[in-house]
Amino acid sequence: MSGDHNDTVSRTDSAATDAEADEGAPRLLVVCGCTRLTVPGLRVALGDLQEVTVGRGPQRSLARHGKAATLSIPDHEISRTHLVVRRQPAGWEVADLGSKNGILVNGEEVRTTTLTDGDLIEVGGTVLMFREDGGGPDGDTDRDLAAETATPVAFRTVSSEFEHRVTQLTKIALTDVAVLVRGETGTGKELIARAIHDGSARRGRFVPINCGALPRNLIESELFGHKRGAFSGAYDDSDGLVRRAHGGTLFLDEIAELPEESQVALLRVLQDAEVRPVGASDAVKVDIRVVAATHQDIPARIADGRFRQDLYARIAGFEMVLPALRDRREDLGTLIASILPRVTAHPEGVTLHRTAARALLGYAWPLNIRELEQGLRTAVALTDTGEIHLEHLSEAIRNYIPPSFANLRAEDRVLRERLIELLREHAGNVAAVGRAMGKAPIQIRRWCLRVQVDLSKFRG
């Protein structure tokens, strides 16, 4: 193989190249280094590139030169010039450049293969991911999170779509606009709320309240305070949680759990910017910024009469939906880098065996980031050498089996059969299948990913 970098450039028709670039937001991502787990992710925007060469270097760096780029990674298992990810008429492909240790795509050794959205590329002890869709609306840029030490942990991402929302949230944080954060349990809603407070100009406290854990008969006393003697057990005056957040941020976690009578009282506080302690005759002015969170479907609860629409209007000045961890696997390494210092005093001494890395990246994470943190805490405690192996992970992760195509919807099974038929007919040529179905190649690859069709099995 020639050492001339230009020998690896794939020449394609310019019109096809431009069309392909417009169809998606292709990215090459450094997810994690198994021996450098405290280093967060890196994103290479592929939109205006023809190829990216990956090889070993003294430090992680990305250098662009025209339509090509070089990604250097400090990994002793990587050859100086290890692989290339390059644009082809049928899509992006990865090719081994005669490396010593080879490359794996989705756990299988390959020499050359066309990539589909979400494919994992193992090069040495480093895991890369290819992403093709779901980018932000304004196009992609390169991003190295290792250089962003000032960025709040909750805002660090190489996901283009999530980054777009975080950028909006950073602007919102500087205002007093109320924010509603929605997402599954364990997706990090309180971390986002704290980052909003830290990014604001408010100098008061951040006061978190779990609305679902408040004693039902004491909710208003806990929130709004009370006067001495207002009820049995009220031996002293109490400011209440809302007044403790004066000048700061009130975080109402699981706000959908508030009973209706407490929703009415909270609405009054937000409308009038004042709170009346239980047993008091006079109201007290408060200056609070509200961030609320829930994993519940609030519109459904409004329709069922379990949540007030006027309160929803007050708390949802800006609404953000946090993605589940399974939908942002590209951030797994970045999340591990942020979690390890919380679970061990020596995070730099923790490494990850490749089989364990594969298992973590293939798992569905039903309990999201919270489950990841607990899993890492347990694995670190179990390892004697500092290297996390498959046996150190939970049984759920070790034994996880992705859903088979038998569980697909009827219409997806029909689509799958049609795709298989055309892929066989056209020897795996995605562009030809796209022409036959009247769709762009990127749509064919998205469909194949969704209905679990392995494109590599149809190529000669």
Side-chain angles (χ1 to χ4, degrees):
M1 177 109 18
S2 170
D4 185 350
H5 179 76
N6 290 328
D7 289 348
T8 63
V9 176
S10 172
R11 307 298 180 187
T12 60
D13 178 78
S14 60
T17 298
D18 291 342
E20 184 75 8
D22 290 339
E23 288 163 3
R27 287 146 281 147
L28 181 66
L29 308 161
V30 179
V31 178
C32 73
C34 292
T35 60
R36 302 175 76 238
L37 292 176
T38 57
V39 180
L42 177 147
R43 180 179 69 217
V44 183
L46 301 177
D48 59 352
L49 294 175
Q50 288 294 319
E51 68 168 25
V52 178
T53 303
V54 179
R56 187 178 74 249
Q59 60 186 18
R60 193 171 77 178
S61 63
L62 176 67
R64 286 177 171 259
H65 29 94
K67 292 289 185 180
T70 301
L71 175 60
S72 297
I73 300 173
D75 183 334
H76 71 276
E77 295 184 74
I78 296 179
S79 300
R80 289 189 179 278
T81 305
H82 199 113
L83 64 83
V84 63
V85 175
R86 58 195 172 197
R87 193 192 298 266
Q88 298 284 36
W92 287 85
E93 75 171 17
V94 61
D96 185 6
L97 295 179
S99 67
K100 180 180 178 180
N101 293 321
I103 59 174
L104 282 74
V105 175
N106 300 327
E108 296 185 7
E109 189 171 354
V110 300
R111 293 287 298 173
T112 303
T113 189
T114 300
L115 296 167
T116 59
D117 185 52
D119 278 351
L120 295 173
I121 307 165
E122 292 179 46
V123 48
T126 301
V127 181
L128 311 177
M129 179 184 285
F130 176 75
R131 292 305 308 264
E132 196 164 28
D133 58 1
D138 300 324
D140 270 330
T141 57
D142 300 331
R143 187 175 190 185
D144 186 353
L145 294 178
E148 298 185 15
T149 55
T151 303
V153 169
F155 288 173
R156 293 179 190 172
T157 180
V158 291
S159 164
S160 300
E161 188 172 17
F162 187 40
E163 181 185 351
H164 171 65
R165 297 295 283 167
V166 164
T167 299
Q168 292 180 317
L169 197 57
T170 302
K171 297 175 182 177
I172 291 293
L174 296 171
T175 72
D176 286 333
V177 172
V179 178
L180 175 63
V181 184
R182 294 195 294 114
E184 294 179 9
T185 297
T187 48
K189 294 186 286 293
E190 182 168 346
L191 287 176
I192 288 289
R194 286 185 181 273
I196 293 170
H197 173 71
D198 292 342
S200 72
R202 303 186 69 82
R203 295 293 173 260
R205 297 167 59 184
F206 176 85
V207 179
I209 302 171
N210 186 335
C211 297
L214 291 172
R216 192 177 181 93
N217 61 329
L218 294 175
I219 288 178
E220 293 191 24
S221 171
E222 292 284 332
L223 288 177
F224 312 133
H226 59 259
K227 300 297 288 183
R228 178 181 177 182
F231 52 85
S232 178
Y235 301 117
D236 296 293
D237 290 351
S238 171
D239 287 343
L241 295 168
V242 173
R243 274 199 283 173
R244 289 180 200 170
H246 179 72
T249 301
L250 184 69
F251 175 52
L252 299 168
D253 196 12
E254 295 305 341
I255 191 170
E257 304 297 329
L258 274 181
E260 186 174 1
E261 60 271 19
S262 298
Q263 293 176 32
V264 173
L266 177 61
L267 177 62
R268 190 178 307 117
V269 170
L270 300 183
Q271 285 176 335
D272 301 336
E274 61 182 26
V275 58
R276 188 186 304 276
V278 176
S281 56
D282 297 322
V284 179
K285 285 290 183 181
V286 288
D287 171 22
I288 56 172
R289 196 270 184 81
V290 171
V291 178
T294 184
H295 72 281
Q296 302 280 3
D297 184 345
I298 287 191
R301 292 177 80 89
I302 291 173
D304 292 343
R306 290 181 291 167
F307 198 83
R308 295 182 63 92
Q309 189 166 21
D310 46 4
L311 179 57
Y312 175 62
R314 280 282 175 180
I315 63 173
F318 179 83
E319 193 165 347
M320 180 178 190
V321 179
L322 288 184
L325 180 52
R326 62 183 172 274
D327 295 328
R328 52 180 295 208
R329 288 188 305 149
E330 58 263 56
D331 281 331
L332 191 74
T334 298
L335 291 168
I336 290 174
S338 69
I339 290 170
L340 278 179
R342 298 203 296 269
V343 303
T344 175
H346 304 286
E348 66 285 344
V350 180
T351 61
L352 196 59
H353 192 272
R354 289 192 201 181
T355 55
R358 264 180 235 136
L360 291 174
L361 283 159
Y363 185 54
W365 299 108
L367 301 180
N368 295 293
I369 300 172
R370 185 176 296 136
E371 184 179 12
L372 174 62
E373 179 164 348
Q374 291 299 333
L376 288 174
R377 190 181 299 277
T378 301
V380 168
L382 290 174
T383 177
D384 295 322
T385 64
E387 184 176 46
I388 297 173
H389 286 258
L390 193 61
E391 59 263 31
H392 300 139
L393 303 178
S394 70
E395 184 177 352
I397 297 173
R398 294 197 312 270
N399 298 333
Y400 177 72
I401 300 175
S404 71
F405 72 88
N407 295 325
L408 295 175
R409 296 175 301 175
E411 57 266 33
D412 281 346
R413 287 199 292 271
V414 172
L415 174 62
R416 188 176 193 275
E417 292 173 3
R418 177 61 173 156
L419 287 168
I420 290 173
E421 176 187 352
L422 289 172
L423 285 165
R424 285 173 177 160
E425 180 181 337
H426 296 286
N429 188 316
V430 174
V433 173
R435 287 192 292 272
M437 299 185 74
K439 298 292 183 181
I442 190 173
Q443 182 60 56
I444 302 302
R445 289 191 288 275
R446 288 172 181 162
W447 279 342
C448 287
L449 182 67
R450 191 179 88 201
V451 300
Q452 302 175 51
V453 171
D454 185 352
L455 286 169
S456 66
K457 297 187 183 302
F458 297 90
R459 303 184 188 107

